[in-house]
Amino acid sequence: MGSVLVRAGLVTEGELDGALRHAGQASLAQALVDARVTSGVRIAQAIAEDAGLDYIDMSLCEIDMTAATAIAPELARRYDLLPISREGDLLIVAMSDPSNIVALDDLRILTGCEIRPVVAAEADLRQAIDRCAAMQENVDEIVGDVADAGRDAEDREEAEGAESVVSKLLNLIITEAIRLQAGDIYIEPQDDEVRIRFRIDGVCQQVMTSPKKLHAQLISRVKIASGMDIAERRVPQDGRFGVALEGTAVDFRVAVLPTVRGEMAVLRLLRRSSIMMSLEDLGFLPGPYARLKQALDKPYGCILVTGPTGSGKSTTLYAAINQTSDPESNLITVEDPVEYRLEGLSQVQVHERAGLTFASALRSILRQDPDTVMIGEIRDAETAKIAIEAALTGHLVLSTLHTNRAPSAMTRLTEMGVEPFLTASAVNCVVAQRLARRLCPHCKEPYTPTDEALEGIGFAHEPGVLPTLYRPHGCKKCSKIGYKGRIGVHEVLTMSEGLERLTVQHASADDLERLAVAEGMVTMRDDGFEKVRMGLTSIEEILRVVA
């Protein structure tokens, strides 16, 4: 290592000799850092460059806990290495000294995987090892404590101790989910283990497993935190709780569902910062944004946001509320559930068992003289009719509907029993959307597609002029995935006289779409392809989310 650092110009021979004399039990790298000759990052970068390997910043690296726990913490500390991700039979391992052949051979034999080393700063690597070891040790502690508690059910102290460490495990899972910016946490019982998965940027990733004996205690802790009945295991339950981590407030919406292997829990993370976004932040192109903004500026009418579950409809609705809300207007929402609780907003929670449905709540809301009404979802004919009537009587109504395309909203309302002439008069605008993963800006790579490939998917381009597009590559900042974050893909239909006539005539969604496109509507597919041209996402991602 010393000769590498000298050749790199980081240290002189004299500084190297001095560090070696005073190193003691510390490594040469640590001695040089302690003497303030150079930094640990520069040492690691020099070693990586000399060995022809990648350097990785452990503070930015998202560690795959399944890979990290493939070896014992003692072995990780002995060799100063940590598995950070797995790609099939290939294990990516962060090391401070990649020339340690003995460590690489031992790891290859122990895991049965091929090893690809990357270089990390020694101090950062040891912190990551300690953090992963702490999580694994907590799991091991929980296993032992729960087993002891099970052997002596009457020992109250042991039972309370098991509860304490289960709480610690749940806290670790929640903290890691917030750090990784996960959207959902899945706690899923399997035949002989409990699987923990996070949904990150719309894709599920397994982060750890724990023994099956932890399952009952872990689900009970989730129920207690969410205000559920821990004795009821036969029916689904819903609840919520909130946490604050390093100044960031996160609400958790929890659903527990009985399965044949036991109860599974899904915790949806609701970050309050996400609902303070403006429409400009959601990825609308200028044309569709102008259409939506024009509809929001009207004092009455109905604006619908459509798409499947998890497509960002609620975020778009709240962004629209931010656009229309002001102290001079009365804005009331009716939701099931109330995902985000906002100051200065009157929000109504649906409670069907008590008789407070969307329809009954909406009737009462209209007696409060609101200027704007947000309905979480139009689910039934009664709610649809009241919403349309409210839009026709001077209220601005915002709501969601489950359809795949914007023109399908008209036919869906007709199927729900709303007269087509009422729909044509009441609906101002329909937004259909999906969420596509955004390419990592640090590692996306340019390429030139073939003419045949573009024609096969209908990607418009000038004949003979092939565009430069981008595709995922993978780097340390995106955990080798190639994507980081998500962006909206939209189509915005605004009603016109022609569309009103077709709606009254019971025209099909295809007929409505053809006219809307002729009048300037950009379809979701074309909206996505435009974002591909802008280098924001990839063709494969658009084809994945848009049929």
Side-chain angles (χ1 to χ4, degrees):
M1 179 189 295
S3 59
V4 171
L5 300 180
V6 171
R7 285 198 304 272
L10 295 182
V11 300
T12 64
E13 292 286 356
E15 290 170 331
L16 184 61
D17 291 339
L20 288 170
R21 283 195 304 271
H22 295 93
Q25 297 296 320
S27 65
L28 174 59
Q30 189 60 51
L32 289 168
V33 173
D34 290 343
R36 299 190 177 183
V37 174
T38 185
S39 69
V41 170
R42 295 181 68 186
I43 291 172
Q45 289 172 338
I47 293 172
E49 184 176 354
D50 182 76
L53 301 173
D54 291 333
Y55 162 77
I56 188 165
D57 185 344
M58 295 302 294
S59 65
L60 299 176
C61 174
E62 294 179 359
I63 300 169
D64 180 348
M65 292 304 299
T66 304
T69 55
I71 63 171
E74 295 76 17
L75 185 66
R77 292 189 177 103
R78 184 193 313 159
Y79 288 139
D80 263 345
L81 56 80
L82 181 68
I84 56 174
S85 67
R86 186 191 295 269
E87 300 173 2
D89 292 331
L90 179 66
L91 196 64
I92 315 299
V93 180
M95 306 180 68
S96 60
D97 181 12
S99 64
N100 191 339
I101 303 300
V102 174
L104 292 173
D105 286 343
D106 285 355
L107 198 58
R108 189 176 293 110
I109 293 169
L110 182 65
T111 63
C113 296
E114 288 299 313
I115 308 300
R116 189 175 82 192
V118 295
V119 184
E122 184 178 292
D124 293 344
L125 179 58
R126 288 180 177 175
Q127 287 180 1
I129 292 171
D130 289 342
R131 187 169 66 248
C132 294
M135 178 175 286
Q136 186 61 30
E137 286 163 6
N138 274 310
V139 173
D140 294 340
E141 182 183 358
I142 291 165
V143 175
D145 286 353
V146 172
D148 292 341
R151 284 193 295 269
D152 189 2
E154 295 180 358
D155 191 335
R156 184 179 181 84
E157 291 184 1
E158 289 288 349
E160 290 177 352
E163 284 296 307
S164 174
V165 289
V166 169
S167 298
K168 188 181 293 185
L169 174 61
L170 181 59
N171 290 340
L172 284 169
I173 292 170
I174 288 172
T175 301
E176 193 70 7
I178 294 173
R179 188 183 71 81
L180 295 176
Q181 297 185 334
D184 298 278
I185 302 171
Y186 296 87
I187 303 175
E188 303 167 305
Q190 306 297 305
D191 287 332
D192 54 3
E193 65 183 12
V194 179
R195 181 174 65 176
I196 310 296
R197 293 193 296 165
F198 295 165
R199 184 180 293 277
I200 301 174
D201 293 336
V203 178
C204 286
Q205 300 177 23
Q206 181 171 318
V207 293
M208 65 176 292
T209 59
S210 63
K212 185 66 177 285
K213 63 183 70 177
L214 302 181
H215 173 250
Q217 286 81 0
L218 190 55
I219 293 296
S220 293
R221 289 308 307 170
V222 171
K223 287 182 175 181
I224 290 170
S226 309
M228 301 181 194
D229 181 359
I230 62 172
E232 180 57 75
R233 298 185 177 91
R234 299 165 299 173
V235 297
Q237 296 189 67
D238 297 318
R240 66 184 304 139
F241 64 92
V243 301
L245 181 66
E246 297 178 354
T248 301
V250 181
D251 290 330
F252 287 80
R253 194 178 79 194
V254 185
V256 173
L257 179 71
T259 72
V260 293
R261 295 187 177 96
E263 291 178 294
M264 70 171 288
V266 180
L267 291 73
R268 171 158 288 188
L269 284 72
L270 306 170
R271 295 170 179 82
R272 296 179 188 177
S273 58
S274 67
I275 57 165
M276 302 313 294
M277 298 173 69
S278 65
L279 290 171
E280 293 90 336
D281 298 328
L282 300 182
F284 280 92
L285 294 175
Y289 172 77
R291 285 169 161 254
L292 178 56
K293 179 67 167 58
Q294 184 180 24
L296 287 169
D297 287 341
K298 293 182 178 180
Y300 56 86
C302 184
I303 298 175
L304 299 173
V305 182
T306 73
T309 302
S311 60
K313 299 188 298 296
S314 295
T315 301
T316 300
L317 277 184
Y318 279 110
I321 285 177
N322 293 335
Q323 185 84 36
T324 59
S325 180
D326 63 72
E328 297 178 355
S329 64
N330 182 16
L331 197 157
I332 304 178
T333 76
V334 52
E335 306 167 66
D336 183 24
V338 175
E339 293 187 338
Y340 303 98
R341 299 181 182 182
L342 302 178
E343 293 294 331
L345 197 63
S346 300
Q347 296 173 276
V348 178
Q349 167 75 57
V350 167
H351 196 308
E352 294 191 358
R353 289 184 181 178
L356 184 60
T357 63
F358 275 110
S360 62
L362 192 51
R363 285 195 202 94
S364 298
I365 284 172
L366 294 178
R367 299 189 192 107
Q368 306 297 320
D369 192 25
D371 298 294
T372 303
V373 179
M374 190 194 92
I375 307 168
E377 181 184 348
I378 295 177
R379 297 179 179 175
D380 53 58
E382 189 177 8
T383 304
K385 291 176 182 177
I386 298 172
I388 293 299
E389 289 171 3
L392 289 170
T393 53
H395 305 89
L396 181 62
V397 178
L398 310 175
S399 188
T400 69
L401 196 64
H402 280 288
T403 65
N404 289 325
R405 297 177 296 165
S408 301
M410 311 304 172
T411 56
R412 174 67 179 142
L413 288 171
T414 301
E415 291 168 0
M416 295 177 77
V418 179
E419 292 293 341
F421 70 90
L422 295 177
T423 299
S425 300
V427 175
N428 288 343
C429 176
V430 182
V431 180
Q433 68 178 56
R434 302 289 188 276
L435 290 177
R437 289 182 293 174
R438 188 189 293 264
L439 284 168
C440 174
H442 302 284
C443 67
K444 64 181 181 181
E445 58 180 18
Y447 75 104
T448 302
T450 64
D451 192 67
E452 293 78 8
L454 295 180
E455 289 183 357
I457 60 173
F459 192 101
H461 64 287
E462 295 182 21
V465 180
L466 295 175
T468 298
L469 305 180
Y470 292 84
R471 58 191 172 195
H473 177 69
C475 68
K476 61 191 178 187
K477 294 187 177 180
C478 63
S479 300
K480 302 292 182 181
I481 296 174
Y483 296 97
K484 189 71 174 176
R486 290 193 286 179
I487 188 171
V489 180
H490 312 91
E491 67 182 21
V492 180
L493 179 150
T494 51
M495 288 298 286
S496 63
E497 290 184 7
L499 289 170
E500 288 180 9
R501 281 196 297 271
L502 285 181
T503 301
V504 172
Q505 295 168 8
H506 295 263
S508 68
D510 290 337
D511 292 336
L512 290 167
E513 181 172 350
R514 277 191 288 270
L515 179 57
V517 170
E519 293 179 346
M521 184 186 82
V522 178
T523 65
M524 268 191 295
R525 195 180 182 93
D526 289 338
D527 185 270
F529 285 162
E530 184 59 32
K531 283 158 186 169
V532 170
R533 286 191 185 88
M534 296 165 65
L536 299 175
T537 187
S538 66
I539 285 180
E540 293 76 16
E541 185 65 10
I542 294 302
L543 295 179
R544 182 181 73 87
V545 301
V546 180

